């Protein structure tokens, strides 16, 4: 058996979808274990562009079976739409055959979306800039034991009782903010209708994945969503999502022993981006940042918001690869750096007379740090047709080798365009 974990090593949108699609060609099971449809992964195959939010990016590979583990939150309205969207593009999605959903996964319900919106409004200038998908409120209900789960859909009587009980409090909250409230009976009817097609898919995904991990021939790929710097414990709290996004969330979220993972691969952009609010030390609030956003088409897959752009940050990257135990990195969007006269890389931060070479997660002044950079020469040549490391311009090779010399990981994959084929493999 081989088991690989792929995680985002920055603030999300690193190009995980593309890398997972690539690795899924050699996987039998693809397992997502955290987050919900706050994620947005674009995978480009020839003239087709797929936007995945909840369904694992392995769905595009025939023969691979995809699982949403118990750590995922599922919005059934969204899932129905995502399945339909994929089918319209000719992708086979058959619940119970190539898509399975954990009975432990919590449901995102319409009142969670409303709650997300209201809470963001209440935060005012301190807003997080959430995706508005109800993610935080759904996980909040999971922790406070007011959540409803996929398995509940298999017992309509129980589901109806739980929904009525939970919605007493939910409606009180909503009405307090001028909302008319929601009817549990209507919600139950809608849930059961949508769940009809999904019934064969609802099962103990953890058991299936654990059996696969015991089977010598199985190849399992764990798909991380978001990025480590958005992790609820390890990221830039409170400007984070509500889950443990990488190794920390894997055990509970997929119901597997974390030590089954042999290969941990982080995905990182050749520069850095962030959507939503929160500290971002290497952010470029100038024409260079604007250039990266335009050339890199840095607009969110989920919300369409412009992404904030900045230079590659070795302080943050050393932290994320270390905390996740990564051995490898896939570096994406190297093509976007073509045409930059010089490239800056953050090597350390300074704040109030102190130097930080390790990422000071949790430091209240993270938004005030002075960033110290090393400058590297850029290159002019476009890279999108290059498939071999040796064919890259020497300055691009130097950039990769420089990052490798500063990080305890191998840069084993280099992406030079959005298409599935635009990849440089660097075998060990
Ligand atoms: P994810 O959430 O980590 O899967 O990343 P997103 O899909 O949200 O954002 C990455 C964007 O960059 C997508 O539009 C990809 O199609 C695109 N992309 C991925 N790799 C590359 C690359 O090497 N070069 C370019 N130009 N685009 C890329
Ligand atoms: P992928 O998987 C980038 C960000 C939001 C916001 C914060 C909290 O595509 O990399 P939430 O809706 O989760 O409560 O929002 O987290 N965020 C992401 N940013 N990529 C993502 O996923 C994200 N998922 C959440 O923008 O700042
Ligand atoms: Mg994304």
């Amino acid at each position: 058996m081989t088991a690989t974990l792929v995680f985002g090593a920055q603030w999300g949108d690193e190009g995980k979808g593309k890398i997972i699609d690539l690795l899924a060609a050699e996987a039998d099971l693809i397992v997502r274990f955290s987050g919900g449809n706050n994620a947005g992964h674009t995978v480009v195959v020839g003239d087709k562009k797929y936007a995945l939010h909840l369904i694992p990016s392995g769905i595009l590979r025939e023969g691979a079976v995809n699982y949403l583990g118990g750590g995922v939150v599922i919005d059934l309205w969204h899932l129905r739409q995502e399945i339909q969207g994929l089918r319209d593009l000719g992708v086979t999605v058959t619940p119970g055959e190539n898509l399975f959903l954990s009975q432990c996964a919590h449901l995102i319900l319409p009142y969670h979306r409303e709650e997300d919106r209201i809470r963001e409004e209440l935060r005012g200038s301190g807003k997080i800039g959430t995706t508005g998908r109800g993610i935080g409120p759904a996980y909040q209900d999971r922790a406070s034991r007011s959540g409803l789960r996929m398995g509940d859909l298999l017992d309509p009587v129980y589901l109806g009782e739980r929904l009525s009980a939970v919605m007493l409090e939910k409606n009180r909250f909503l009405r307090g903010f001028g909302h008319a409230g929601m009817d549990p009976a209507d919600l139950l009817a809608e849930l059961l209708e949508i769940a009809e097609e999904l019934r064969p898919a609802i099962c103990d995904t953890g058991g299936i994945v654990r059996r696969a991990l015991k089977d010598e021939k199985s190849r399992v790929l764990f798909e991380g969503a978001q990025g480590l710097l958005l992790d609820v414990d390890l990221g830039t709290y409170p400007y984070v999502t509500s889950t443990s996004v990488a190794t920390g969330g894997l055990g509970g979220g997929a119901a597997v022993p974390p030590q089954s993972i042999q290969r941990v691969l982080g995905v990182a952009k050749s520069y850095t981006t962030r959507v939503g609010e929160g500290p971002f030390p290497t952010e470029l609030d100038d024409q260079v940042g604007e250039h990266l956003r335009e050339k890199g088409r840095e607009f969110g897959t989920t919300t369409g918001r412009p992404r904030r752009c900045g230079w590659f940050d070795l302080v943050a990257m050393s932290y994320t690869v270390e905390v996740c135990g990564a051995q490898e990195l896939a570096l994406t969007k190297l093509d976007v750096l073509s045409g930059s006269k010089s490239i800056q890389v953050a090597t350390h931060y300074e704040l109030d007379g102190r130097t930080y070479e390790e990422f000071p997660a949790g430091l209240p002044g993270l938004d005030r740090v002075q960033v110290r950079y090393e400058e590297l020469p850029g290159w002019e040549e476009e890279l999108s047709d290059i498939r071999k490391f040796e064919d890259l311009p020497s300055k691009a090779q130097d950039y990769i080798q420089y990052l490798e010399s500063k990080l305890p990981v191998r840069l084993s994959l280099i992406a030079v365009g959005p298409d599935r084929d635009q990849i440089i493999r660097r075998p060990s």
Side-chain angles (χ1 to χ4, degrees):
M1 143 318 261
T2 61
T4 303
L5 165 68
V6 175
F7 73 97
Q10 292 157 325
W11 275 286
D13 300 331
E14 298 89 350
K16 297 176 293 295
K18 173 181 163 127
I19 300 300
I20 289 158
D21 166 71
L22 199 75
L23 300 180
E26 284 151 31
D28 306 303
L29 292 82
I30 293 95
V31 187
R32 236 189 98 171
F33 55 89
S34 73
N37 57 320
N38 48 348
H41 311 307
T42 303
V43 181
V44 180
V45 185
D47 58 2
K48 286 204 173 138
K49 192 169 170 177
Y50 305 90
L52 297 148
H53 296 276
L54 195 52
I55 297 176
S57 304
I59 199 78
L60 306 178
R61 299 287 187 177
E62 242 173 77
V65 184
N66 298 270
Y67 297 85
L68 296 185
V72 174
V73 280
I74 300 179
D75 179 329
L76 289 181
W77 288 262
H78 169 84
L79 182 58
R80 175 169 63 179
Q81 203 184 329
E82 189 167 326
I83 291 176
Q84 194 51 52
L86 285 169
R87 285 179 179 158
D88 291 346
L89 287 169
V91 181
T92 305
V93 187
T94 312
E97 283 184 25
N98 70 345
L99 178 66
F100 289 91
L101 313 166
S102 168
Q103 57 209 17
C104 295
H106 278 248
L107 295 173
I108 299 184
L109 293 161
Y111 51 76
H112 290 128
R113 281 183 242 129
E114 283 302 307
E115 212 175 321
D116 199 357
R117 184 183 59 75
I118 293 168
R119 287 191 192 282
E120 278 287 83
E121 263 174 40
L122 291 175
R123 288 182 189 114
S125 62
K127 73 176 194 294
I128 296 167
T130 72
T131 57
R133 302 296 190 259
I135 305 295
Y139 281 114
Q140 201 173 310
D141 277 358
R142 177 177 82 164
S144 69
R145 289 144 295 173
S146 305
L148 292 149
R149 307 204 288 180
M150 285 301 292
D152 300 343
L153 293 164
L154 303 176
D155 185 342
V157 175
Y158 175 74
L159 177 65
E161 285 167 4
R162 286 276 293 159
L163 210 47
S164 297
V166 166
M167 285 182 70
L168 278 180
E169 191 193 321
K170 291 292 162 192
N171 276 331
R172 224 172 280 163
F173 175 86
L174 291 181
R175 290 193 185 114
F177 291 94
H179 194 287
M182 296 178 186
D183 180 9
D186 289 350
L187 205 49
L188 178 67
E190 260 193 83
L191 279 172
L192 292 175
E193 191 222 309
I194 305 175
E196 204 43 54
E197 197 205 356
L198 302 174
R199 237 166 232 283
I202 304 172
C203 62
D204 171 21
T205 57
I208 301 173
V209 178
R210 287 196 301 279
R211 276 195 294 285
L213 290 171
K214 285 188 197 143
D215 175 353
E216 244 173 52
K217 293 194 289 293
S218 286
R219 299 162 303 174
V220 186
L221 186 58
F222 291 98
E223 169 176 334
Q226 284 76 54
L228 203 273
L229 299 170
L230 288 170
D231 183 288
V232 66
D233 293 309
L234 307 166
T236 47
Y237 192 90
Y239 300 99
V240 293
T241 190
S242 304
T243 43
S244 302
V245 305
T247 19
L250 178 72
V256 298
Q259 67 269 29
S260 3
I261 305 296
Q262 298 125 346
R263 181 182 181 203
V264 180
L265 183 140
V267 183
K269 264 180 203 165
S270 305
Y271 47 98
T272 310
T273 63
R274 169 162 209 176
V275 225
E277 308 301 319
F280 179 0
T282 63
E283 181 167 16
L284 288 162
D285 222 351
D286 57 11
Q287 278 187 337
V288 182
E290 190 57 39
H291 166 78
L292 289 175
R293 181 158 41 249
E294 287 306 318
K295 183 151 183 166
R297 299 193 183 166
E298 296 296 355
F299 297 89
T301 312
T302 298
T303 57
R305 289 178 290 179
R307 295 175 182 147
R308 299 156 65 191
C309 297
W311 292 121
F312 194 92
D313 186 341
L314 277 171
V315 185
M317 191 58 58
S318 306
Y319 169 68
T320 61
V321 299
E322 185 176 296
V323 82
C324 293
Q327 304 106 0
E328 290 171 60
L329 266 190
L331 191 75
T332 61
K333 298 198 137 179
L334 189 66
D335 52 305
V336 177
L337 292 183
S338 292
S340 297
K341 217 179 229 144
S342 67
I343 297 167
Q344 312 274 340
V345 179
T347 54
H348 56 284
Y349 306 154
E350 283 171 13
L351 181 70
D352 300 333
R354 259 193 78 177
T355 299
Y356 295 89
E357 280 175 7
E358 278 186 16
F359 188 73
L363 184 76
L366 191 56
D367 53 347
R368 291 190 293 114
V369 293
Q370 295 283 315
V371 182
R372 300 296 171 219
Y373 292 97
E374 185 152 345
E375 184 171 318
L376 285 95
W379 60 89
E380 281 302 321
E381 301 89 325
E382 294 297 335
L383 310 182
S384 32
D385 294 329
I386 296 177
R387 300 290 176 268
K388 285 195 197 131
F389 183 77
E390 308 76 70
D391 294 341
L392 284 170
S394 64
K395 299 284 190 298
Q397 294 189 23
D398 291 348
Y399 182 56
I400 289 162
Q401 277 160 349
Y402 170 80
L403 297 181
E404 231 167 18
S405 74
K406 299 285 176 188
L407 293 165
V409 288
R410 210 162 55 78
L411 271 56
S412 55
L413 294 168
I414 313 289
V416 289
D419 197 273
R420 185 184 264 178
D421 295 336
Q422 290 177 305
I423 196 83
I424 297 172
R425 295 170 197 267
R426 296 178 73 215
S428 48

